[in-house]
Amino acid sequence: MSELRFPEGFRWGAATAAYQIEGAARDDGRGPSIWDTFSRTPGRVFQGHTGDVACDHYHRYADDVALMAELGLHTYRFSVAWPRIQPDGTGPVNPRGLDFYDRLTDALLARGIDPIVTLYHWDLPQTLQDRGGWTARETAEHFATYATAVHARLGDRVGTWTTLNEPWCSAYLGYGNGVHAPGERDAGSAFTAVHHLLLGHGLAARALRAAGAETVGITLNPADVCPADPDSAADAAAARLVDGLQNRIFLDPLLRAAYPDDVLEHVGRMVDPATFVRDGDEKLIAAPIDLLGINFYQPTYVAGRPGGAGSDAYPGTDGAVEFLPATGPLTDMGWMIEPAGLTRLLERIATDYPGVPLLVTENGAAFPDKAGSDPVGEVQDTDRVAYLDGHLRAAHQAIARGVDLRGYLVWSLLDNFEWAEGYRKRFGIVHVDYLTQRRTLKSSARWYQEVISRNGL
Ligand code: PNW
């Protein structure tokens, strides 16, 4: 296959999230988060798995940073656990919680790895949930206070800050269909949460900027929404609706300072937006950003059908939309493998929302360990190599077509706690044996190391 080079300065890295890898759920004054509560509630997570121990990264971070250095990562995206910093979500900071991220940051910098901090990857302090969580407006304000506290400690060494990871998941899976913490099921709550998450982002982004943060952004999981039949007007309308619910409801207020009218109208069938959107909010949400993080896993195909089943992850789509089942080769999540979706998505965002540099903050795949592969030697994950190779070619194609894509972060560095799926889904390029906490590079890690060193494929 022909050689493919990425632009000079392209940033190669990997991503993780606090609750998925840290463990140490009760160490050093950490308070409980909604994911502790959720995972300890029977029936919520596969086989009752929790993040209590996870990859024990809290105690093994130095070894994990050494692994990153071995792979040649330029950058590492990790999240800060809010309940380590403010155990109750408000009030005085817990210095021992900040100490951990201080040590981690220093370890990364000592190896020449540039940290990217995500301030919120879903682990809301339980105390704030008890006061309404993201359905309560005050949570947005508390989030900005927390962001300021983390920046005060790490801002002299961390240049790149993202506020939220995938607010779509927090709102729709957390408050809409209950698949994620806090497990609520109410369309009105989901839309209220969308707004307060965005408001929290805007307030935090502005506070970070005022404190001198170099690069401020947010990470979304926008969908590449495709009509089942490109010639069908009904399918196009369905695609437009889903695009509104997953993409424009976030991108428009963030980058155009206004919710789209068609989205407000759809939301209004379930809850009156005037009950949570106040004058001036959209302007606050549109605080300037320097970077937009894109997480991409698979495309979404929809058809417009009266009586269609819809999806409980997209409130109000029942009776109107049919989500097509994934086809072709699937990952262990049952997700489709269609790299062209990444090219389409990046081009679409660059076209419709020009002027913001993009970063792929997550892309990767879960595959089971193969029978016959030898975790003590190396896990032969050729399926993951093929997935990553295809998506890097797709990213390269977007760059060739003019998209300002600054880098690519693989999800994930380590096998980890895959939310409602527990530990049974493995996304890592590094294998984790949860009995011994032994890390073993998979062949995808060796392959990625080579990609980074050549800056291409
Ligand atoms: C993202 N969906 O989650 C998260 O940012 C990661 O923490 C997670 O491990 C990774 O992707 C893999 O799942 C998602 O239902 C969870 O569409 C669910 C969905 C999308 C992303």
Side-chain angles (χ1 to χ4, degrees), residues 55-304:
C55 307
D56 195 32
H57 172 76
Y58 192 79
H59 300 112
R60 295 167 192 266
Y61 74 92
D63 294 344
D64 291 337
V65 172
L67 270 179
M68 297 176 213
E70 186 183 341
L71 295 179
L73 302 191
H74 302 161
T75 184
Y76 172 58
R77 170 183 182 248
F78 63 91
S79 80
V80 173
W82 187 349
R84 287 196 193 282
I85 311 307
Q86 290 174 297
D88 291 329
T90 62
V93 302
N94 169 33
R96 287 181 299 160
L98 281 168
D99 288 346
F100 169 68
Y101 299 103
D102 206 87
R103 293 192 294 273
L104 173 60
T105 298
D106 284 344
L108 291 166
L109 292 175
R111 301 280 198 163
I113 302 168
D114 189 32
I116 298 181
V117 167
T118 301
L119 285 161
Y120 184 75
H121 202 126
W122 307 353
D123 41 2
L124 186 74
Q126 181 61 42
T127 311
L128 288 181
Q129 181 55 37
D130 297 341
R131 289 150 67 168
W134 288 108
T135 67
R137 188 177 174 94
E138 62 165 310
T139 298
E141 282 148 25
H142 297 316
F143 178 64
T145 305
Y146 150 72
T148 307
V150 179
H151 183 271
R153 184 67 174 271
L154 303 180
D156 58 337
R157 283 154 294 150
V158 172
T160 306
W161 296 81
T162 63
T163 53
L164 308 174
N165 176 72
E166 299 190 354
W168 179 88
C169 289
S170 296
Y172 293 76
L173 307 184
Y175 295 86
N177 71 5
V179 169
H180 282 183
E184 293 189 5
R185 296 163 185 269
D186 179 73
S189 298
F191 291 121
T192 309
V194 165
H195 183 67
H196 292 148
L197 282 153
L198 283 169
L199 184 62
H201 155 81
L203 296 172
R206 171 199 267 215
L208 290 166
R209 173 103 44 218
E214 250 165 63
T215 303
V216 178
I218 183 171
T219 283
L220 302 177
N221 60 320
D224 167 49
V225 190
C226 304
D229 172 359
D231 297 324
S232 152
D235 293 1
R240 177 100 182 134
L241 172 61
V242 173
D243 176 65
L245 287 172
Q246 186 153 358
N247 301 333
R248 292 179 293 115
I249 196 172
F250 296 103
L251 289 162
D252 279 38
L254 285 167
L255 297 165
R256 298 179 179 171
Y259 287 109
D261 289 337
D262 63 312
V263 172
L264 286 176
E265 194 196 306
H266 179 81
V267 170
R269 288 178 211 158
M270 289 158 276
V271 59
D272 181 359
T275 58
F276 49 85
V277 183
R278 294 191 191 161
D279 277 355
D281 282 0
E282 287 158 307
K283 232 179 134 183
L284 291 172
I285 292 169
I289 54 172
D290 314 295
L291 188 71
L292 179 61
I294 304 293
N295 294 351
F296 177 81
Y297 290 94
Q298 63 163 346
T300 305
Y301 282 88
V302 298

